[in-house]
Amino acid sequence: MILTILAFLPLIGAIAILLMKEESTGAIRGFALFTACVNFVISLPLLFGFDSAKAGMQYVEKVDWIPSLGISYHLGIDGISLWLVMLTTFLSVICILSSGSVEKKLKQYMFFFLLLETGMIGALASLDLFLFYIFWEAMLIPMYFLIGVWGGKERIYAAVKFFIFTMVGSLLMLVAIIALYYLNIKAGNPATFNILELYKLPIAPSVQMVMFMAFALAFAIKVPMWPVHTWLPDAHTQAPTAGSVILAGVLLKMGCYGFLRFAMPLFPNAVVAATPFMMTLAVVGIIYGALVAMVQKDVKKLVAYSSVSHLGYVMLGIFALNAQGVVGGLYQSLNHGISTGALFLLVGVIYERRHTRMIEDFGGLARQMPYYATIFLIITMSSIGLPGLNGFVGEFLIMMGAYLSSPIAAIFAASGVILAAGYMLWMYRRVFFGPLENEANKNLTDLTGLEWGYLMPMVILAFWMGIYPATFTSKMEPTITAWLSHIETKKIACMELEPVKNPVASLFSGAETLRK
């Protein structure tokens, strides 16, 4: 029941907030924070009780929902989803703590934020494709409103762009899910959306390629990979601080998670065929994101483009298709949630004081805000992968895995590390060093108690993940080993299947079988 409680407790909290009076802002903030904190505390036994030696699903819950269609309420987690669920409950607390400046329509804001948490946890724990799709779509609506209502001046444009990009990908994935359902029936199996059963379904490589493309586009938009990344900088820049944090911390990881959970184990032959193409896109994203970040004048936009670069590393590791690369990719996705999430929090701190994020408006802040400058420096170093901090471990594993798979890709990707150090340190120098000349900056105050409260856990995690990564990787490795073995075994089995002359038409021929 623990996964059900984690998924639906925020929803219950959200509904309770709707019943509160609009003017009871203190009670609304307190109750939203209480709900998120309770959910985080409930998620801790999930972590401590997780069997690190077991590769399969744990904490499984299954109830028939629509038996005639093979749809079930089926939840479970493994080494791939465990840390992402933990990251979701943790960052939800941080985000609500950092929303102190939100005053407009606070009740609706907290309602959508808790609703978003339900969607994220539900999507990460779903083992039924139909259930997963519902939670996947449930994430879209609250994020759309968080950007569109509480965002910056161009929030409507950013929200609509986010919605259109995500919806296009989602609809293609829905068609592929339906096609997969009928293919399973056509193969003589009982109707089901159970992902663990669908893993076993042999699919001709030519058909796999068509279905992989549909799933991959949906997840590539969510990551986002170059060149379908264009919605991200607008969404990040216009979203409120907490929106940017949860977007970078969890929502973008849904794309990486989708590749690992669905697109790759379902269609292994297509994955192998597409690997050179996907690795090329990942490397282009790494270099492109870094180069564009380098010329940004807005700190928040710089961090947004750095996300494109960092997530390119995640995808490079995943498509290396070896243990080092995949563990590194998964670990780096957690790192990105901590480092980039903390960077958005830090940008939000200075924006609340100065109402500007332009680099040229600052300079010499280290004199006026020494503690803020110190934490910003630590997180900057974690973002660029300094040994001893979280970013180094993920990048090191990814580069090892990428080199084993494609030395050329690894060499080009390495240039992104140098570029990242360049643009991050250059930004830091311009914001924090030099003379304190701008009069508006001379009265700035350092971190408040509340800001210490939500920044210090991020700093502690950055050190913990950098100094002792085994805490995290030990729970990932058995699952990743089994995941790679499944891909290899299924790939060999599917290679013997005859190529299909018209793979697109074959996806829908299962309907005839169902009617008979």
Side-chain angles (χ1 to χ4, degrees):
M1 280 297 288
I2 188 170
L3 291 176
T4 296
I5 295 171
L6 283 175
F8 290 101
L9 183 64
L11 177 63
I12 294 170
I15 294 170
I17 284 176
L18 278 186
L19 301 176
M20 294 181 175
K21 292 180 180 179
E22 192 85 41
E23 58 271 20
S24 303
T25 55
I28 291 170
R29 287 186 198 280
F31 189 77
L33 181 61
F34 173 75
T35 305
C37 286
V38 169
N39 221 34
F40 175 63
V41 170
I42 291 173
S43 69
L44 291 176
L46 195 75
L47 175 62
F48 297 125
F50 190 85
D51 186 353
S52 300
K54 188 176 177 182
M57 291 293 167
Q58 302 182 39
Y59 302 101
V60 174
E61 302 169 18
K62 187 177 181 185
V63 178
D64 285 339
W65 185 11
I66 312 175
S68 60
L69 295 177
I71 297 172
S72 59
Y73 175 79
H74 192 184
L75 302 180
I77 58 168
D78 60 3
I80 294 174
S81 48
L82 169 69
W83 286 111
L84 293 173
V85 170
M86 296 304 301
L87 184 67
T88 304
T89 58
F90 169 73
L91 282 183
S92 294
V93 176
I94 298 293
C95 287
I96 290 176
L97 269 176
S98 65
S99 300
S101 62
V102 175
E103 295 178 355
K104 181 179 74 172
K105 299 180 180 177
L106 180 68
K107 185 166 86 170
Q108 292 82 352
Y109 176 88
M110 292 301 180
F111 168 79
F112 283 125
F113 219 100
L114 291 174
L115 187 63
L116 181 61
E117 186 177 0
T118 287
M120 292 186 292
I121 294 175
L124 289 169
S126 293
L127 298 180
D128 183 283
L129 267 173
F130 184 84
L131 187 64
F132 166 76
Y133 191 79
I134 290 174
F135 281 119
W136 178 270
E137 291 300 295
M139 292 185 296
L140 176 61
I141 297 169
M143 196 66 222
Y144 169 80
F145 282 106
L146 285 172
I147 298 172
V149 177
W150 292 274
K153 292 180 181 177
E154 299 178 7
R155 58 186 181 276
I156 302 299
Y157 169 76
V160 171
K161 194 173 180 180
F162 162 77
F163 190 90
I164 291 174
F165 267 76
T166 310
M167 183 56 77
V168 168
S170 298
L171 289 176
L172 283 174
M173 180 171 67
L174 178 61
V175 173
I177 289 173
I178 294 170
L180 185 64
Y181 176 77
Y182 282 131
L183 274 181
N184 185 55
I185 294 172
K186 186 181 177 183
N189 299 318
T192 184
F193 284 92
N194 184 333
I195 188 65
L196 302 180
E197 293 299 322
L198 292 173
Y199 280 168
K200 303 171 188 171
L201 177 66
I203 306 172
S206 53
V207 178
Q208 281 190 37
M209 184 55 76
V210 177
M211 301 188 74
F212 174 76
M213 288 169 63
F215 273 89
L217 182 61
F219 298 138
I221 289 173
K222 204 77 169 183
V223 171
M225 293 186 78
W226 184 90
V228 288
H229 67 284
T230 59
W231 64 270
L232 180 70
D234 293 312
H236 264 322
T237 309
Q238 297 302 317
T241 296
S244 296
V245 173
I246 206 69
L247 185 60
V250 182
L251 259 70
L252 304 186
K253 310 304 160 10
M254 290 297 173
C256 310
Y257 173 76
F259 275 107
L260 288 168
R261 175 68 74 223
F262 303 104
M264 299 176 79
L266 283 170
F267 317 114
N269 302 71
V271 170
V272 173
T275 288
F277 177 70
M278 298 299 285
M279 290 185 83
T280 302
L281 291 185
V283 171
V284 171
I286 290 169
I287 298 173
Y288 168 83
L291 290 175
V292 179
M294 192 171 286
V295 297
Q296 294 306 311
K297 298 177 180 177
D298 182 329
V299 183
K300 197 173 186 184
K301 211 161 189 176
L302 182 150
V303 177
Y305 275 106
S306 78
S307 282
V308 177
S309 183
H310 289 151
L311 288 163
Y313 281 107
V314 174
M315 295 310 299
L316 181 67
I318 290 173
F319 275 90
L321 291 178
N322 52 49
Q324 296 90 335
V326 179
V327 171
L330 188 54
Y331 198 74
Q332 189 67 358
S333 69
L334 300 178
N335 290 332
H336 180 263
I338 299 300
S339 300
T340 305
L343 281 173
F344 280 123
L345 288 171
L346 288 162
V347 173
V349 167
I350 197 65
Y351 182 75
E352 292 302 325
R353 287 161 170 71
R354 287 280 283 106
H355 301 290
T356 176
R357 299 185 301 254
M358 305 306 289
I359 294 173
E360 63 184 10
D361 292 332
F362 300 107
L365 286 192
R367 299 167 188 265
Q368 193 66 26
M369 306 172 70
Y371 292 120
Y372 175 73
T374 303
I375 291 185
F376 208 119
L377 181 62
I378 292 170
I379 297 300
T380 298
M381 292 301 173
S382 81
S383 180
I384 63 180
L386 185 76
L389 289 164
N390 55 339
F392 173 75
V393 179
E395 286 186 356
F396 182 73
L397 289 171
I398 288 170
M399 296 305 289
M400 282 181 67
Y403 186 81
L404 290 173
S405 181
S406 169
I408 294 176
I411 291 169
F412 277 103
S415 66
V417 178
I418 300 166
L419 291 171
Y423 67 75
M424 289 299 291
L425 292 176
W426 190 34
M427 176 271 292
Y428 189 85
R429 183 187 68 78
R430 289 180 288 166
V431 172
F432 291 97
F433 293 149
L436 186 64
E437 295 177 339
N438 193 323
E439 290 296 325
N441 297 330
K442 292 182 179 177
N443 295 319
L444 291 176
T445 56
D446 215 328
L447 295 174
T448 65
L450 178 63
E451 290 160 351
W452 277 109
Y454 60 73
L455 287 171
M456 279 311 293
M458 308 291 270
V459 173
I460 291 168
L461 274 174
F463 278 111
W464 188 354
M465 294 178 75
I467 294 171
Y468 195 64
T471 307
F472 303 85
T473 56
S474 62
K475 295 185 187 304
M476 300 175 187
E477 287 166 348
T479 301
I480 297 301
T481 302
W483 182 88
L484 287 166
S485 175
H486 164 81
I487 285 183
E488 184 63 23
T489 304
K490 186 172 179 179
K491 183 191 74 176
I492 293 170
C494 292
M495 283 173 64
E496 298 173 357
L497 297 175
E498 291 293 327
V500 177
K501 291 182 180 178
N502 188 344
V504 176
S506 71
L507 292 175
F508 302 97
S509 60
E512 294 298 325
T513 307
L514 186 67
R515 281 197 288 271
K516 290 174 184 175

